[in-house]
Amino acid sequence: MGKYKVMKPAKEVDVSAVKYKEEDIKAPHLTGFLFKLFVNMLETPLIGSSIVDSLKKNNGMTEMFRNTVVPEEPMFRPEFPPQKAEHDVVIVGEDESPVDILEIALKCLPQYDPSRSFRTDPSSSFRYWKIRDYAFAYRSKLTAPSVVAEQIISIIEEFKYDKSPTPYLITFDASEVRKQASASTQRFEEGKPISILDGIFVTIKDDIDCFPHTTKGGTTWLHEDRSVEKDSVVVSRLRSCGAILIGKANMHEIGMGTTGNNSNYGTTRNPHAPERYTGGSSSGSAAIVASGLCSAALGTDGGGSVRIPASLCGITGLKTTYGRTDMTGSLCEGGTVEIIGPLASSVEDALLVYAAILGSSSADRLNLNPTPPCFPKLMSHNGGSAIGSLRLGKYTRWFNDVNSSEISDKCEDILKLLSNNHGCEVVEIVVPELEEMRAAHVVSIGSAALRSLTPYCEAGRRLMEYHMDIFKDVDVIVTPTTGMTAPVIPPDALKNGETNFQVTAANLLGFPAISVPVGYDKEGLPIGLQIMGRPWAEATVLALAAAVEELAPVTKKPAVFHNLLNTNRVHTDLSEK
């Protein structure tokens, strides 16, 4: 066929002959004035198209998409084959209320022991306050939602976390927070809290509707054309459980970046190292949780936007299967890869927030035919009894393709502990056509007119087949979440922004995945391990993540951390009870 390359059908590809190619994106890394100039050139007729054509050609995208014949039919959104049932799980019905689903999730957790949080030696290692710690403190009248709300408001106003140049929040209304906290406090005084999430503070990313706040998507203009009349579906579910919604979290503008840079409102700083990025695009969501200001936050993930900032900020970020959560009322509604997922300081808290927001839209139930959602039985603090039977897929060349061996070494240490302590089997795998998957992901996430693209821009059905073959031999695929720890923010990037195509991740096939902290590099910066599961297998992913969390080194206190529960006073109050 002349200059055209004809690919073999996926079923005929010899996986043993696949050669790994390290990611080498040939694109300029620009900041400040040069970045602004580059954008202006891109918007110039003829010159802009020439630059784009050159970038595509230099990165092999022209040959890959225009000059390649893919035998499989295109797949414009994830389509999952039937999946086998997960083991040692509790099945829930999507039609049950969020409060009822939360109660089921709560029963899957280890028995709560307040002494693990409140009666420890003050000199013991740092740990985050969990959702159940707050619930215990409220029920025991050690504090109240209104008291915590005043602390949060005071901190936000003192440190200007809602203003440039270093905001966690784009939109914040102290009176709205006080109103919600007052109602929650009254429910506790009457002995009638709605759920375990009653009085728990949660932040919402600025591409998810949360009435009465506007939704700007990190821009300065979007709210002028798109009004918010009500909560998104996931936010309404959280609100029905009694959660207190702080405001709208900062983000990389329109979500089109993985650093978290935002020159419109200021760039959120990493609580572990304020001179460094949080990662993005759910930058504010990750930072506000890592700093201790709230128990959880919602983010969106189309290309790692929950997992990347979770990893770089040392917290947990869950990406659900595409279609598991209802996207109605978000800027990502109708997208082909995006999901809404929780960021939290622990796997336990991520599970509880996930339980509150899960539920497919009626369209996705019909089109994707999801299996019923399940929760792992985490009756002990080691991830549950089914962990030992799990097979962990590791593509060694991909696993080790990182900026520093510290990252892969820390992740490798955890795999060894999983094998030695739980009996997990690490299985060597090969993932074909990773380069093509990365390129297809760039096209799918970056195009506002995806449905009009040529079929060659989406080799999704072919890549889905490869991964389904891999999942015949393993239960999960494990990799470092990011190939680097949090990068330093170039000073000239703060005013005019930055482009760095080499900081990327992928989510083309819509599988569930989680990032969980596994340690720190020599500079004290967090490292995350990603666990990716079969379609609809959130329970398996969460169970293994809980085991990893127990095996991981001691959590390091961030340089910026706000302790909202007065430990000394709580110790005194408990001793008097």
Side-chain angles (χ1 to χ4, degrees):
M1 294 185 63
K3 64 178 181 177
Y4 287 95
K5 172 186 174 183
V6 181
M7 302 182 79
K8 289 183 178 180
K11 294 182 182 296
E12 298 177 12
V13 172
D14 181 3
V15 175
S16 65
V18 170
K19 294 183 179 180
Y20 180 79
K21 184 177 180 181
E22 293 185 356
E23 187 171 16
D24 181 24
I25 299 176
K26 297 178 176 64
H29 176 196
L30 303 173
T31 62
F33 173 76
L34 289 177
F35 173 53
K36 191 172 183 179
L37 178 63
F38 181 69
V39 171
N40 288 335
M41 292 174 65
L42 285 176
E43 294 175 345
T44 303
L46 299 179
I47 296 177
S49 59
S50 298
I51 294 173
V52 171
D53 287 343
S54 177
L55 286 171
K56 289 192 296 185
K57 183 177 180 180
N58 290 341
N59 286 281
M61 295 179 74
T62 302
E63 178 184 357
M64 191 181 302
F65 290 148
R66 188 174 296 172
N67 302 333
T68 301
V69 177
V70 180
E72 286 81 9
E73 289 294 317
M75 185 177 72
F76 293 104
R77 57 182 293 184
E79 298 172 13
F80 307 119
Q83 300 297 305
K84 64 181 182 181
E86 297 176 90
H87 299 295
D88 202 29
V89 297
V90 175
I91 299 174
V92 297
E94 287 193 74
D95 292 325
E96 296 186 57
S97 72
V99 172
D100 290 339
I101 295 175
L102 253 181
E103 191 61 30
I104 295 171
L106 197 58
K107 292 176 181 177
C108 294
L109 299 179
Q111 184 175 358
Y112 179 71
D113 180 4
S115 67
R116 287 173 62 94
S117 303
F118 295 104
R119 286 181 176 150
T120 54
D121 183 348
S123 64
S124 62
S125 60
F126 169 78
R127 70 185 296 279
Y128 281 100
W129 298 111
K130 295 182 179 181
I131 287 172
R132 290 199 288 177
D133 295 329
Y134 280 98
F136 173 81
Y138 294 157
R139 287 184 168 91
S140 303
K141 301 190 185 303
L142 302 175
T143 188
S146 288
V147 174
V148 176
E150 291 304 323
Q151 288 180 274
I152 293 173
I153 292 168
S154 176
I155 291 168
I156 289 173
E157 293 177 346
E158 177 184 354
F159 291 90
K160 296 180 172 58
Y161 285 146
D162 61 332
K163 295 179 175 64
S164 184
T166 59
Y168 290 168
L169 301 164
I170 286 179
T171 309
F172 171 70
D173 184 343
S175 63
E176 182 67 23
V177 174
R178 287 189 174 104
K179 182 173 68 174
Q180 296 175 75
S182 176
S184 178
T185 298
Q186 184 173 348
R187 290 193 293 269
F188 276 100
E189 289 175 350
E190 295 171 352
K192 298 178 181 178
I194 298 173
S195 76
I196 192 69
L197 289 185
D198 204 338
I200 301 301
F201 293 82
V202 181
T203 302
I204 310 299
K205 187 179 179 182
D206 193 38
D207 58 357
I208 306 169
D209 290 348
C210 178
F211 187 80
H213 302 286
T214 57
T215 295
K216 303 175 182 178
T219 72
T220 58
W221 52 268
L222 184 62
H223 61 291
E224 297 175 357
D225 298 319
R226 182 184 181 277
S227 61
V228 175
E229 306 296 336
K230 62 180 181 179
D231 287 336
S232 61
V233 169
V234 291
V235 169
S236 68
R237 287 172 175 163
L238 281 176
R239 203 185 291 273
S240 72
C241 295
I244 298 173
L245 309 172
I246 294 179
K248 303 299 290 296
N250 199 0
M251 60 179 286
H252 203 116
E253 188 174 7
I254 303 292
M256 295 303 295
T258 57
T259 62
N261 183 289
N262 189 313
S263 57
N264 295 323
Y265 298 97
T267 296
T268 303
R269 308 304 181 89
N270 194 314
H272 285 271
E275 74 280 6
R276 294 178 180 269
Y277 279 123
T278 57
S281 62
S282 305
S283 52
S285 296
I288 202 166
V289 171
S291 70
L293 266 182
C294 66
S295 298
L298 292 188
T300 54
D301 192 320
S305 292
V306 163
R307 293 159 288 158
I308 291 171
S311 177
L312 300 190
C313 290
I315 60 172
T316 297
L318 174 65
K319 178 205 164 296
T320 63
T321 307
Y322 174 78
R324 179 66 88 188
T325 52
D326 194 328
M327 303 298 292
T328 303
S330 73
L331 298 185
C332 303
E333 183 179 350
T336 60
V337 292
E338 298 88 348
I339 61 92
I340 294 173
L343 298 96
S345 63
S346 66
V347 175
E348 173 182 309
D349 286 358
L351 169 60
L352 290 174
V353 176
Y354 163 62
I357 67 171
L358 70 79
S360 305
S361 67
S362 56
D364 282 340
R365 287 198 208 185
L366 179 65
N367 296 325
L368 298 177
N369 192 28
T371 60
C374 304
F375 299 137
K377 296 178 182 177
L378 305 179
M379 303 311 181
S380 62
H381 290 275
N382 62 8
S385 59
I387 293 300
S389 64
L390 292 181
R391 299 160 299 168
L392 318 181
K394 176 191 173 190
Y395 188 7
T396 298
R397 292 292 304 277
W398 187 22
F399 193 96
N400 293 334
D401 187 6
V402 292
N403 280 19
S404 167
S405 60
E406 286 184 277
I407 295 172
S408 53
D409 288 348
K410 291 290 184 183
C411 293
E412 182 67 38
D413 290 343
I414 289 295
L415 299 190
K416 291 177 180 176
L417 288 172
L418 286 170
S419 296
N420 296 337
N421 293 23
H422 294 285
C424 297
E425 179 186 2
V426 179
V427 179
E428 182 66 25
I429 62 172
V430 173
V431 183
E433 299 177 17
L434 273 174
E435 185 180 11
E436 287 81 357
M437 182 170 69
R438 291 164 179 154
H441 171 261
V442 169
V443 173
S444 65
I445 198 68
S447 176
L450 177 63
R451 295 182 187 277
S452 65
L453 296 174
T454 68
Y456 304 117
C457 289
E458 289 275 354
R461 193 175 304 280
R462 177 185 184 88
L463 296 169
M464 181 70 75
E465 190 166 327
Y466 286 140
H467 281 75
M468 287 299 98
D469 283 342
I470 291 171
F471 280 124
K472 292 175 183 177
D473 299 318
V474 302
D475 299 289
V476 299
I477 298 173
V478 290
T479 65
T481 307
T482 57
M484 64 176 67
T485 50
V488 173
I489 305 172
D492 57 350
L494 295 174
K495 183 178 179 180
N496 293 314
E498 175 181 18
T499 178
N500 188 354
F501 290 102
Q502 298 190 17
V503 184
T504 58
N507 170 40
L508 181 65
L509 300 178
F511 297 147
I514 195 168
S515 178
V516 60
V518 293
Y520 304 85
D521 68 6
K522 61 186 177 184
E523 296 183 80
L525 300 171
I527 295 169
L529 175 75
Q530 176 175 255
I531 303 166
M532 182 171 70
R534 294 186 180 95
W536 315 117
E538 285 85 2
T540 298
V541 166
L542 285 161
L544 186 59
V548 168
E549 188 175 63
E550 284 296 310
L551 296 171
V554 172
T555 302
K556 175 178 169 286
K557 183 178 179 179
V560 177
F561 179 75
H562 303 285
N563 186 355
L564 298 183
L565 289 180
N566 188 317
T567 310
N568 294 330
R569 191 190 72 197
V570 169
H571 283 165
T572 301
D573 291 347
L574 275 173
S575 64
E576 294 174 353
K577 287 185 178 293

